[in-house]
Amino acid sequence: MNNKKDMILQVKDLQTYFKTDEGVVKAVNGVSFDLRANETLGLVGESACGKSVTNLSIMRLIPTPPGKIAGGEVIFEGQDILKMSDAEIRALRGNKISMIFQDPMTSLNPFLRISTQLSETIMLHQGLSKSEAHEKSIQMLKVVGIPSPEKRVNDYPHQFSGGMRQRVMIAMGLSCNPKILIADEPTTALDVTIQAQILDLMRDLKDKFNSAIILVTHNLGVVAGICDNVCVMYAGRIVEKGTSEEVFHDPRHPYTKGLLKSIPRHDQEKKERLYSIEGQPPNLINLPACCPFHPRCAHKSNICTQQYPGTVKLDDNREVSCWLFQSH
Amino acid sequence: MNTQEKNNSQPVNEFNQPIKGVSLNLDAWRRLKKNKMAIGGLFVVLFYILIASLAFIPGFPIHSYDKIILDHQHLPPSLTKTAGDLLYEKTEKKLSAIAKKRGRESLNEEEIQELKDLRHQIENETMEEDGKTIKVHQRRYLFGTDYHGRDMLARIVFGSQVSIGIGIVGTLTAMLIGITIGSIAGYSGGRTDYFLVRFIDIMYSLPYMILVIIFMAMFKSDNQIQRIINLYIAIAMVSWLTMARIVRGQFISLKNSEFVEAARSIGASKTHIIIRHILPNTLGIIIVFSTLSFPQFILAEAFLSFLGLGISAPFASWGSLISDAVEGMDLFPWRLFFPAAAMTIFLFAMNFLGDGLRDAFDPQSKNRL
Amino acid sequence: MTKFIIKRLLSIFPTLLIVITICFFLVRMAPGGPFDLEKTLPKVIQDNMKKKYHMDEPLWKQYGRYVTDLVFKLDFGPSYRYQDHDVSYYIGKSLPNSAMLGIIALSLAVFLGVGVGIISALKQNTLADYIPMSIAVIGISVPNFVVGPVLMYYLALKWQWLPTSGWIMEGGPKTIIMPAITLSLVFFAYIARLSRSSLLEVLRSDYIRTARAKGLSGRVVIFKHALKGAMLPVVSYLGPAFSFIITGSVVVESIFRVPGLAKFFVQSALNRDYTLLLGALIIYSSILMVANFVVDVAYSFIDPRISYK
């Protein structure tokens, strides 16, 4: 992440909070990362670690009565997205930055035809006429591998299978040639074989459409398969950053180590117990400002319970947030 | 995680965050407590039920609901004046009006004597009540009286016993029959379910309140107890339909859940699964629906009484009181106002409570994520 | 799609037959008969009357006779009580009035209710939400036989803006106003609450999030994407609502002296006028069935998952 010229997105110290009756949930608590053109960045972590909320914050899709983007900057094309007007951000969504979601069953409007849902984005952002947009929709369906696209474009979502629906979502996401495609757990709801197909599709299309991808997942296998760089998240913070190769072969943060150790290996002795990290992720309500991982950490020391370790740059690429790598 | 007990408060974890036990119903109760309108509604409902229950105890400090004192006909409500005062005022006003009509400014001898006699009667007339002799015209009527001189407050309280009773009977019957039939149909599927759905479809094709009306009209009797029983039967007949539908819907969606599969795999019987596994998960929606349909039963009875098919004098229900009052509405507005207000406030409270319960059991309402 | 419609339409007939049968025997269940209430006549005359109306025949025979007359000749039979005309005549005169009142009331309730519900949902937790919703709670707590007289008292007696009773023929269109408002109030309240909660729920769905993520404006998201799904529960409700409007009209027609069909229910039941009662019941059931059919078809137009298998 050193080539500043190629930088298309810079997230700086993003903080998103939610007000609940029991207190404030700091879902995203100081997240920073950069994204270069054509890069595939993975955001990995357990459920409720803040990875989805990070993406929704970038798109400013956080519902604002309970939620609030409390601080930070998201720089895209020289402007801070968090300070844009509503009209400006709407011009970005679906156009320069697209997002596809986890559950294709519920993420498509069951009451509208696919043609309507595809064409409306194209007509809105690219100014095409209805028939032109319709043609382009058929093209997009072909690109994502839907057979007989001219016929199927007039169908309703419930007439597609799960994998097909996700392809349709990808088609919608890429239809306006976005610079960034944010994919929020795109394969989690699908069968393993379909997962592989969808990931292959995304890899091909990324090159074809020249988009960068932010891929959110809890599946390390997916990260290894398709991501150039990876950010590991825990309790609303990024605990480790690096290229996927480096992070997989040489994890630094105790949490990352634990994650990798938890992956069952086929060359493991059958009699050994499967490893899992002890304990549970913390309750994010009124979480004090210490290291959130310390109750589950084998290497914890006193300072871990009192202060949050800032981000330490290890060498050009690697970053870790852990007291093991800092003097105190 | 290790937990440390603090001195007297809840256990906390390493982050000094309190550890709370979580169960679905406890969660819902906590949410309900935060909803002020719903809690307000709950208190109002409990208050009504308390008064209605206490009124069964002899010696409850209100007048009896059926004592007819014709002299006290149509007295307006009053906090301070006794019946005698009001009677005197009324007669005085009437006599003055007559005098004025006849061109006289003041009352003549005859009229003054009439007033004097009235005054004497007011101070001395007595009657027996609860074995004691009391001065009739010392009575106070907080809500006024009706056309037979009966105390409105007492009749409203009595009416609340009848109306709330009907709400309870209707709701309990709906729950009992509706849950039984709905659960069997929803869980068994197949032909049992098919016939039940057909039956409910047919019932929906009949304006079933009309059937209730017809039933009440056909079996109308002069025996008040019989009428109340008929009322209960009629309402029970139609009350279980929607509950059965809802329970059936829930069962159909729950019976394919994994926890049911798990229970089946360890050999649990059908009844056991229905009662111990699926039913508790349906409880939330059953409670919500029952609370929201309680007002419907009260309104249904009120409706029937209005048509003359329900309760009638000397018994009273909110509905019968209102329907009696409609005619003389402009002259004696308190006869309509107090029963209508009593009923409306209760239904209001019930509806707020029902809304609150629904919001409490469905955590995805309002501002929640 | 058309297959679905035809299938649904055809299923009305067997249901109708069952309803007619149930009603026929139901109506005969009550003790007493249509002529018991007359002054006691000599037995010979009573027997002759019974013969005239075929009441000396066994019940199943009477049933068969009734159904064949009804189905093949559309003949509802003579009224047992009002012997001037037969049932078709009375129904024919009163049905249009009830129908007009019911349709106006329901339309009022739907258009106002949905409109108010949508506004309340969009302006959630502001005054534009609290005020209509409070009125709505009042609407479902106060029975129509309180609303009616109160309206009549203020609008007709005290301020004299509207006539107290009567119907269009003699009084002009102003006479519809109070009965329509009284009848529609509770449905307006229910539909407003239903639309509001339904829209709020739809706005929380994933597919609305997708629509927003595509950069669509708020207006497009609400009217193009959210509204269809939000209206489904309202459309479903319209079926039972028809039934309740019929029930409600019994009271409203009586308070405002509307010459409609509803009065026959109570009266004929009390009079044991079997044919008139049966006729009214069957007409209303048929209307209900047609209404439910229309509602089902409307529902399937909105939700393609129903009709596109």
Side-chain angles (χ1 to χ4, degrees):
Chain A
M1 302 189 188
N2 53 354
N3 208 336
K4 292 285 175 170
K5 278 190 288 178
D6 277 332
M7 214 70 69
I8 54 173
L9 184 72
Q10 288 176 292
V11 176
K12 295 185 185 167
D13 198 29
L14 181 62
Q15 290 154 50
T16 306
Y17 298 166
F18 289 92
K19 241 186 0 179
T20 69
D21 289 328
E22 280 114 27
V24 175
V25 174
K26 296 189 179 165
V28 177
N29 200 358
V31 161
S32 308
F33 61 85
D34 301 323
L35 184 69
R36 279 178 298 170
N38 285 32
E39 176 188 336
T40 308
L41 175 68
L43 279 185
V44 186
E46 293 171 79
S47 307
C49 68
K51 43 195 207 295
S52 294
V53 178
T54 305
N55 287 330
L56 290 173
S57 305
I58 294 176
M59 298 274 280
R60 293 230 332 240
L61 283 175
I62 304 285
T64 19
K68 187 170 77 150
I69 301 184
E73 293 179 318
V74 177
I75 312 286
F76 178 73
E77 289 187 338
Q79 272 189 298
D80 184 2
I81 291 185
L82 301 182
K83 297 199 172 54
M84 284 184 185
S85 70
D86 278 343
E88 289 171 322
I89 187 91
R90 272 185 276 126
L92 277 190
R93 289 183 193 148
N95 190 13
K96 303 233 178 105
I97 309 183
S98 273
M99 191 157 173
I100 64 177
F101 297 96
Q102 172 176 342
D103 189 352
M105 207 109 27
T106 56
S107 297
L108 290 172
N109 190 330
F111 306 109
L112 299 176
R113 295 182 200 267
I114 298 294
S115 56
T116 319
Q117 300 187 55
L118 269 171
S119 304
E120 62 183 351
T121 334
I122 302 175
M123 287 195 285
L124 175 67
H125 294 300
Q126 299 189 328
L128 298 184
S129 76
K130 197 157 179 200
S131 46
E132 289 170 333
H134 190 83
E135 271 311 304
K136 183 144 190 220
S137 308
I138 299 180
Q139 283 309 310
M140 288 304 303
L141 286 185
K142 198 179 262 171
V143 160
V144 296
I146 304 241
S148 319
E150 333 68 40
K151 271 199 235 138
R152 307 240 44 203
V153 76
N154 290 320
D155 282 346
Y156 287 96
H158 71 274
Q159 293 171 283
F160 287 80
S161 73
M164 293 286 177
R165 260 177 279 205
Q166 196 59 294
R167 289 174 192 262
V168 169
M169 286 231 58
I170 294 175
M172 266 179 13
L174 292 173
S175 58
C176 296
N177 267 356
K179 290 247 180 74
I180 306 178
L181 176 69
I182 305 181
D184 195 330
E185 308 224 36
T187 53
T188 308
L190 303 171
D191 293 338
V192 182
T193 42
I194 313 279
Q195 267 188 36
Q197 290 175 13
I198 298 291
L199 288 176
D200 284 340
L201 177 67
M202 285 175 69
R203 204 188 347 233
D204 291 338
L205 294 179
K206 178 191 85 167
D207 292 330
K208 205 181 211 149
F209 284 85
N210 263 325
S211 314
I213 300 183
I214 301 181
L215 181 65
V216 170
T217 179
H218 60 259
N219 186 332
L220 293 167
V222 167
V223 173
I226 184 178
C227 295
D228 305 321
N229 294 308
V230 64
C231 296
V232 180
M233 284 188 72
Y234 188 79
R237 301 193 198 256
I238 296 186
V239 296
E240 184 159 359
K241 260 192 245 179
T243 67
S244 338
E245 275 208 36
E246 287 167 348
V247 172
F248 269 85
H249 284 135
D250 183 21
R252 299 295 173 90
H253 194 281
Y255 176 59
T256 324
K257 286 194 188 162
L259 276 186
L260 287 166
K261 216 166 149 198
S262 315
I263 303 177
R265 300 171 56 107
H266 60 83
D267 55 354
Q268 212 174 359
E269 278 289 315
K270 283 205 187 124
K271 297 211 189 102
E272 278 170 37
R273 232 178 161 189
L274 291 174
Y275 175 81
S276 64
I277 311 178
E278 272 188 24
Q280 299 275 336
N283 179 352
L284 294 177
I285 297 178
N286 298 329
L287 190 64
C290 56
C291 174
F293 186 64
H294 76 81
R296 308 166 79 183
C297 185
H299 306 287
K300 96 168 153 202
S301 54
N302 219 7
I303 190 161
C304 304
T305 64
Q306 289 158 4
Q307 237 187 305
Y308 180 70
T311 315
V312 173
K313 270 198 144 90
L314 291 182
D315 47 37
D316 262 343
N317 259 349
R318 306 289 303 268
E319 290 177 24
V320 200
S321 296
C322 179
W323 283 114
L324 287 175
F325 297 89
Q326 301 182 48
S327 50
H328 45 271
Chain B
M1 270 194 196
N2 306 319
T3 66
Q4 311 138 13
E5 296 281 335
K6 279 189 140 185
N7 294 336
N8 52 348
S9 52
Q10 331 154 268
V12 290
N13 59 13
E14 292 84 349
F15 297 108
N16 273 337
Q17 295 165 326
I19 302 177
K20 285 193 286 210
V22 179
S23 93
L24 209 63
N25 292 330
L26 220 78
D27 227 10
W29 172 239
R30 272 194 216 117
R31 266 195 292 272
L32 186 65
K33 274 199 290 197
K34 293 193 189 123
N35 184 342
K36 299 201 199 85
M37 296 289 270
I39 295 296
L42 181 61
F43 275 118
V44 171
V45 169
L46 289 178
F47 175 72
Y48 269 78
I49 295 183
L50 183 68
I51 301 282
S53 317
L54 288 180
F56 278 114
I57 305 175
F60 192 64
I62 56 172
H63 301 305
S64 70
Y65 70 93
D66 56 353
K67 180 82 184 167
I68 297 181
I69 302 176
L70 286 174
D71 278 341
H72 288 180
Q73 184 189 58
H74 283 147
L75 290 179
S78 166
L79 275 178
T80 46
K81 303 191 191 148
T82 64
D85 296 337
L86 294 169
L87 207 54
Y88 192 81
E89 275 176 22
K90 192 162 89 174
T91 320
E92 194 175 18
K93 236 186 237 144
K94 187 178 75 179
L95 290 179
S96 303
I98 295 181
K100 220 172 234 126
K101 230 200 218 160
R102 300 204 179 127
R104 282 179 277 118
E105 273 305 314
S106 59
L107 306 175
N108 58 17
E109 287 238 347
E110 205 182 313
E111 288 158 350
I112 296 181
Q113 186 56 40
E114 197 177 327
L115 283 179
K116 275 219 189 92
D117 289 339
L118 184 60
R119 173 63 70 198
H120 181 84
Q121 183 192 9
I122 286 176
E123 277 162 17
N124 293 315
E125 189 175 352
T126 60
M127 75 173 187
E128 291 290 319
E129 188 173 45
D130 288 339
K132 284 188 285 198
T133 320
I134 57 160
K135 292 223 168 93
V136 176
H137 302 286
Q138 286 298 326
R139 290 172 130 217
R140 277 174 218 277
Y141 297 113
L142 240 58
F143 286 172
T145 58
D146 68 357
Y147 60 93
H148 274 149
R150 292 180 288 217
D151 176 27
M152 285 305 293
L153 175 57
R155 285 181 76 66
I156 292 178
V157 170
F158 182 82
S160 74
Q161 293 176 327
V162 174
S163 295
I164 295 181
I166 288 182
I168 294 179
V169 166
T171 309
L172 284 180
T173 325
M175 282 172 79
L176 224 72
I177 305 182
I179 293 179
T180 314
I181 296 191
S183 55
I184 295 179
Y187 191 76
S188 319
R191 298 187 61 200
T192 341
D193 184 37
Y194 182 75
F195 281 117
L196 178 75
V197 171
R198 289 280 134 254
F199 179 67
I200 292 187
D201 271 351
I202 293 182
M203 289 299 275
Y204 266 101
S205 304
L206 298 164
Y208 50 77
M209 263 313 280
I210 302 285
L211 290 184
V212 172
I213 292 176
I214 294 176
F215 178 83
M216 291 303 291
M218 293 200 294
F219 292 98
K220 187 170 173 175
S221 88
D222 288 323
N223 179 345
Q224 285 301 317
I225 305 285
Q226 182 65 40
R227 286 176 82 140
I228 293 193
I229 295 182
N230 284 348
L231 192 58
Y232 283 165
I233 296 180
I235 292 190
M237 272 195 323
V238 296
S239 62
W240 57 267
L241 283 172
T242 322
M243 175 71 84
R245 244 190 179 198
I246 291 183
V247 171
R248 172 184 172 270
Q250 279 290 94
F251 265 71
I252 289 183
S253 56
L254 284 176
K255 80 175 169 187
N256 293 319
S257 319
E258 281 152 347
F259 65 88
V260 170
E261 213 177 305
R264 251 203 300 259
S265 70
I266 60 171
S269 73
K270 194 154 94 172
T271 334
H272 179 91
I273 293 184
I274 291 182
I275 299 183
R276 292 281 341 262
H277 288 277
I278 304 189
L279 217 46
N281 280 306
T282 334
L283 221 49
I285 203 176
I286 291 179
I287 292 180
V288 172
F289 180 71
S290 300
T291 322
L292 286 174
S293 62
F294 198 102
Q296 314 292 355
F297 294 122
I298 297 188
L299 283 171
E301 177 278 317
F303 177 76
L304 288 172
S305 298
F306 180 79
L307 292 176
L309 298 172
I311 312 284
S312 65
F315 279 15
S317 72
W318 287 334
S320 75
L321 290 174
I322 293 176
S323 90
D324 287 342
V326 166
E327 289 252 330
M329 183 171 60
D330 39 352
L331 289 174
F332 318 115
W334 63 89
R335 283 181 56 201
L336 177 61
F337 178 74
F338 289 108
M343 181 161 101
T344 309
I345 293 176
F346 182 78
L347 293 182
F348 235 65
M350 262 264 134
N351 277 317
F352 278 127
L353 180 59
D355 281 349
L357 279 174
R358 190 185 37 212
D359 286 344
F361 276 104
D362 168 22
Q364 295 185 330
S365 57
K366 291 207 175 171
N367 297 329
R368 299 183 184 281
L369 249 198
Chain C
M1 185 65 180
T2 25
K3 236 175 38 166
F4 173 77
I5 296 184
I6 294 183
K7 218 171 74 152
R8 221 21 214 86
L9 200 56
L10 286 180
S11 71
I12 292 188
F13 293 105
T15 322
L16 191 54
L17 194 56
I18 297 179
V19 166
I20 295 178
T21 313
I22 294 180
C23 289
F24 183 88
F25 289 104
L26 200 65
V27 151
R28 301 284 177 135
M29 249 172 40
F35 307 113
D36 298 351
L37 305 163
E38 308 265 318
K39 318 170 220 324
T40 34
L41 301 164
K43 188 153 192 319
V44 174
I45 301 190
Q46 279 193 20
D47 285 348
N48 276 338
M49 290 188 86
K50 284 206 179 134
K51 228 203 201 111
K52 177 179 170 207
Y53 291 106
H54 305 286
M55 283 184 65
D56 49 340
E57 292 175 359
L59 203 57
W60 58 269
K61 215 169 176 193
Q62 297 188 45
Y63 167 71
R65 186 184 289 276
Y66 184 82
V67 172
T68 27
D69 280 347
L70 184 58
V71 169
F72 294 109
K73 289 187 274 177
L74 274 189
D75 175 14
F76 285 89
S79 160
Y80 286 9
R81 181 74 173 162
Y82 307 110
Q83 303 186 343
D84 301 333
H85 303 271
D86 60 354
V87 170
S88 316
Y89 172 80
Y90 292 110
I91 294 184
K93 271 195 71 187
S94 49
L95 180 59
N97 299 324
S98 292
M100 190 188 310
L101 180 59
I103 291 180
I104 293 180
L106 201 52
S107 312
L108 208 63
V110 169
F111 288 116
L112 280 184
V114 169
V116 166
I118 293 180
I119 296 178
S120 293
L122 296 180
K123 304 254 188 234
Q124 198 186 2
N125 292 332
T126 62
L127 268 187
D129 180 18
Y130 288 142
I131 294 184
M133 284 303 120
S134 303
I135 297 181
V137 178
I138 296 181
I140 59 177
S141 308
V142 180
N144 53 9
F145 55 84
V146 170
V147 174
V150 169
L151 272 185
M152 198 195 285
Y153 177 70
Y154 282 105
L155 295 181
L157 292 173
K158 222 167 177 202
W159 299 330
Q160 305 208 330
W161 291 343
L162 298 171
T164 33
S165 57
W167 195 237
I168 314 179
M169 305 312 154
E170 310 91 32
K174 275 204 273 188
T175 51
I176 304 190
I177 299 182
M178 280 195 298
I181 296 181
T182 311
L183 190 54
S184 71
L185 185 62
V186 66
F187 302 102
F188 156 78
Y190 202 81
I191 291 179
R193 279 156 59 96
L194 194 56
S195 315
R196 177 186 181 278
S197 67
S198 168
L199 185 57
L200 283 177
E201 183 153 342
V202 165
L203 286 177
R204 280 195 302 260
S205 337
D206 286 351
Y207 63 85
I208 295 297
R209 184 180 54 180
T210 309
R212 284 199 229 267
K214 295 198 291 191
L216 300 171
S217 74
R219 170 169 275 139
V220 169
V221 168
I222 293 170
F223 289 103
K224 187 173 170 197
H225 283 262
L227 211 54
K228 266 187 168 181
M231 284 304 104
L232 284 181
V234 176
V235 171
S236 284
Y237 171 67
L238 287 183
F242 253 99
S243 164
F244 298 135
I245 282 227
I246 292 175
T247 316
S249 64
V250 173
V251 163
V252 172
E253 284 183 11
S254 122
I255 294 179
F256 292 98
R257 313 233 191 286
V258 177
L261 194 47
K263 64 172 177 278
F264 291 129
F265 285 118
V266 182
Q267 270 310 99
S268 313
L270 289 172
N271 293 339
R272 306 288 189 270
D273 189 345
Y274 297 137
T275 39
L276 190 50
L277 182 58
L278 207 42
L281 261 180
I282 293 176
I283 288 290
Y284 266 144
S285 295
S286 315
I287 293 180
L288 255 189
M289 279 186 248
V290 171
N292 277 323
F293 164 73
V294 169
V295 162
D296 279 349
V297 170
Y299 194 97
S300 70
F301 265 112
I302 301 181
D303 188 349
R305 295 172 292 193
I306 305 276
S307 46
Y308 284 76
K309 289 295 173 180

